[in-house]
Amino acid sequence: MEAAPAKAKLLGRLLVSNQLDAKDELEEKLERCVGVVHALSNGLSEREANDALTANVCKGPQQHDEVCLGLFALLLTEPTQAQRCYRDLTLMNRDGMSVILVKINQILMEKFLKLQDVARKQLVWLVRELVKSSVIGADGVVMTLLKQIAGGDVSTKNLWLAESVLDILQEQKEWVVKSGMLIAMSVYTYLRLIVDHGTASLLPLRQKEVDFCISLLRDKFLECVIMGRDLVRLLQNVARITEMDLLWRDLLHNPQALSPQFTGILQLLTARTSRKFLACRLTPDMETKLLFMTSRVRFGQQKRYQDWFQRQYLSTVESQSLRCDLIRYICGVVHPSNEVLSSDILPRWAIIGWLLTTCTSNVAASNAKLALFYDWLFFNPDKDSIMNIEPAILVMHHSMKPHPAITATLLDFMCRIIPHFFPPLEVQVRQGVFNSLTFIMEKRVLAHLAPLFDNPKLDRELRSMLRERFPEFCSAPSPPMEGTHTYTHTHTHTWVLCKGHVCVYAVKMDEMTSMEMDNHMMDKEEGCYDNAEAAFSDDEEEVNNKGKKREFRFHPIREVVKEEPADITPWLDQLEDTMKDKVVQLQKSSDTETQCEVMQDIVDLILEDDFDTEQMSALASCLAEVFKEHFRGDVLPEDITDESLEESVCKAVCLVFRNLVTMQEDNSGFSVLLDMLAELYQKQPKIGYHLLYYLKASKAANGKMMLYESFAQATALGDLHTCLMMDMKACQEDDVRLLCYLTPSIYSEFPDETLRSGELLNMIVAVIDSTQLQELMCHVMMGNLVMFRKDSVLNILIQSLDWETFEQYSTWQLFLAHSIPLETIIGILQHLKYKEHPEALSCLLLQLRREKPSEEMVKMVLSRPCHSEDQFTSSLLRHWASKHDDTLAEHIKTQLIKNNNQPRKRQSLRSSSSKLAQLTLEQILEHLDNLRLSLTNTKNNFFSQTPILQALQHVQASCDEVHKMRFSELFALAEEYEDSQAKPLKSRRKAAATSPRSRKGVAPPTNEEESASSSASEEEDSKPKAPKRKRKGSSAVGSDSD
C-alpha cells in the first residue's frame, strides 16, 4: 500500500451533505477507520504497510473490523486505489467478508440516496468484484441493489444503475443460476422495468433486459414459478414484444416446453406471490414512507404526506406504471395489526383510492385496477389472506357516498374482468371472485353487500350487470355459507389475456380524476374506517338507537375440506435419489410408526456432512405438502392428560423438534436442522405454533422453551417478537383451545415480548369464551400466569379502550385477578369518557368502592369533568362518604386548599396545555355540590365535619362573586361554621367540651393556636403572599376574630 496523508479527510466525500447537516454516524465511523489504516501504513513501503496491517488485524475482532472498514471506505472514495484496496481487503479479511457485506447492505438500505456519485459507482464496482470472487452472501447484496432500481423512473442515475446491475448478472450468469431466489428476483425486477424502457433511446437497454429475462425463463423456469401469479401479470404487460410473445404462447399453449413439471398457467395463477417480490419493486425510501403513512399518520391529516410522495415519485409521465407496484405492495405486504386497524390511523383503502385518482392515462388506470383486484381472480380462502382482498371492497364501500364515480368504475371493472381475463378459465375466475365476496362477508369486513351492489347512485346498466353476475349478494340476506357455489353459465367475449393490457371499460378514469378524492377534506362521518369492520370480527353486531354496539358472539363452524392428493413431483426431481426415495416412502406410508421411522431417516440424511443445502427448499416444499393434513387437524387432545399429551407429539412432523431438543446448540447439525425448520416455516407458517406446543407438551422438551427463540432468529423474520406474534395469531385463527393452553408458558418464558404491549392480550380476549376466561383467571391466581406488570399495565389498559365490549370486560377481569395495586392504574381515569368507555368505568367503579380512598384516588376521581349524565364521581364519593367519611374529608380538604392557593392564571394555562383532564377548583366545588344534593334527606353527616367546613370557609374567603353565587348553598354550610366560631371563646370552649362531633379530630385550642389563627387572619387580610397551607389543624383557615 502506498503512503497516505497523515490525516484522512473523508468528510463530505462519501455522503452528500451541507453545513447545516449533522455529521453522519456511519461516515464518522468510516472516517475513524480510515485514520487507523493511515496511522498504521503512513510512511511505510507497500510490503511494510501490509505487514503492519496484518499484525494489527490479528490482535482481535475490533482491530480486524477497523482495518477492513478503513480499506472499504478508501475503496469507495478513492477510485485510483480501488484495485489495491480490494486486493488488501481480500488478504486481510478473516470473516469471509461478513463485516463488509453488512456495511454494504446498511448503505444500500439507509444511505444510498445520499451517496456521492463517485461512491455510488465504486459501490457497484465493489459488488461486481464480490460476485466475481463468489463471496458467500453476495447474492443478498445483489438483491438489495436490485431493490434500489426504482420503477417508473427514467432518470440518468436510475438507468445507469439498472444497466450496471444487469451487466453484472449477465457477465456472471453461471454464478446467478446457483441461487434460485436471485434468479426469481432478477427476472421479476427486469420484467417490471421493461415496461418503463419503451422509448426509442432506451430500446438497446430494453433489448438487453428482454434477452436476459427470456434466457432465465427458458432455462430456469421452475425457479421462476415461485413468483406466483404476479409473474403472469408482468408477462402480460410485455407480451407485445416479439421475443416475449413466443414465450407467452408457450406459457398458454405449450407449458411443457418451459418445464416438464409445469402444468399450465393455472398453476401460476393459483399461487400467491410472496411478499419478497412485491416489496422488491419499491425502493427502501418509498417503502419507509408508505409504512410511515399506514402506521403513524392519522386519517384526515394525510394530504401533506400524499402531496410530498406525489412530488417525489409520481409527478412524471413515466411514473404512471409505479402505481401498480404501490397498490400490489399495499395489498400484499402492508397488513396492519388489529390495534392499528381499529385506531384512527390512515387506512389502506384511503391510500389506494388516492393512488387511483392520480392516474392520468386509461392504460395506467386499467392496470392499477387490475393490480387491486388481482388476488380476487383466483382467491382460495385456504391459501390466501383476507387482507389481500379487503382494500378493494373498502375503497368501493367508502367511496360510494362522497365519490360514487370511483365505486362505479371499480364495480364495472370487477364485473367485466370475469369473462375477459382469460376465457378458458372464466369459470375459475368467477369462482375466485365469488369466494372473495363470500369470505369478505364471513369475516365481517362488510355486513351486507346489497347496499353496495344495488345502490341507487349507480346507473341502471351497472346495477343490472351486478344483479346478473352476483344475484346472491344483491339481496339483503347473507349468502349461504355451508359450501362453495360454482357458476356454470359462460359468455363469449374477446380473449384479453392473450397479450397486452386489460381493456378499458365503460366508466373512464377521466371522470374519476375530475372528482378527485381529497381525503384531507373528507368528512369523517363519510370516510371513517369503522372499528368493527377493521377488526374482522366474527361477531354479529346490532346497533341500537344510541349507536352503541351489542355483540352476539359465536364460533364459526369449520367447513369440511376435501383433501386432494398432494402433487410433490416438481420438488421431488430436485432432490438426490436417496432423499427422494425416503420422501416418496413417507408420502405413501399411512401408519404413524412407519412415518416416524422414515422421517427420522430423513433427519439423519439432513445431518450428514455431505448433505446439499441447496435442496433444502425443495425438501421443505415436499414435507409441507405431505404433512398438510396434520396441520389442518386439532393439535390439543380433548382430554388433557400426560399420556394424551405425549401421544399427541409422537407424530412424524415432530421428529425435527425432537432432534433439535436433544442436540446441543454448538452442534453443527443444530444450525442445519434450524435452517430446515425455517425453510419449512416459509412453506407452512403453522409450524411455528406447533413447535411451541411440542416444547410445552413433550416431557423430552421440559425446560427447552427457549429453543423457540433460536428458531425465530433463524427464520426470514429474524425477530422473536414478530415471529411469536405471527405464530400466536395463526394459533388464534386455528385453535382457541390450544391458544389458551399455550398462554401461561408464552407469558412466563417470553415476558419481554408479551408484557410490553397489548397485542397478544387482544388476540386472546378476542376469541375466548367465559369458561376459558375463568380458567385463565385461575392460572393467574395460582401464580402460573402473569399477564400484567406494573410498568406497562396502564399503557395496555389504555390500549384496550378501543376493543370490543367483551374483550374489555375480559381484560379487566384478568387484571383484577392480579395483585397489582389499584393506584398503579388510577391514572386511566383521565382517559375515560362516560359515553365512550362504560366498560372500563364500570369495572373501576366496582373496584374503587372496595378501596379505602387515598389522596391520589380522590384527586383523580375529582378530576373527571362534571356532566349531568355522568354519575361516576357522585356515586363513588357518596359511597366513600358513608364508609370512610373522615379520610375522604381530609383528602377533599387538601385538594380544595391546594387548588384554591394556585394562581388562577397559571391554573388556566396548565389546563389548556394538556389534553388530559386537570383538576380545578371549580370542578371540586361542582362535585361537592352534587354530593351535597345526593346526601340531602339522608342521615349522613359528611358536610358537618370540621375539615370540610374549614376548607369551604377558606375557599369562600378568596373566591369571586360569581362562584359565591353559583355555590351559595354549599358556602352556606361554611357560614354556619363561621358563626359558631365567632362566639365568645368561653362559649366555644364549653361547646367543644359538650359537643365532641363539632370538634372531631381536632385537639382543644391553646393560646398558641389562637395566636397562630390570628396571625393567619392578618396574613390573609393583607394578602402580600399566597396563604400558608397545613393539612391538619385549623391554622390554615383564617379567623374572623378581627
Side-chain angles (χ1 to χ4, degrees), residues 214 365 437 502 614 695 721 835:
I214 289 290
L437 294 170
V502 179
E614 291 187 5
L695 294 174
H721 179 77
K835 281 189 176 180

Side-chain angles (χ1 to χ4, degrees), residues 551-567:
E551 289 94 8
F552 301 89
R553 304 179 62 82
F554 67 94
H555 294 290
I557 299 173
R558 291 184 179 178
E559 296 180 8
V560 178
V561 180
K562 293 183 179 179
E563 182 62 32
E564 298 179 359
D567 180 19

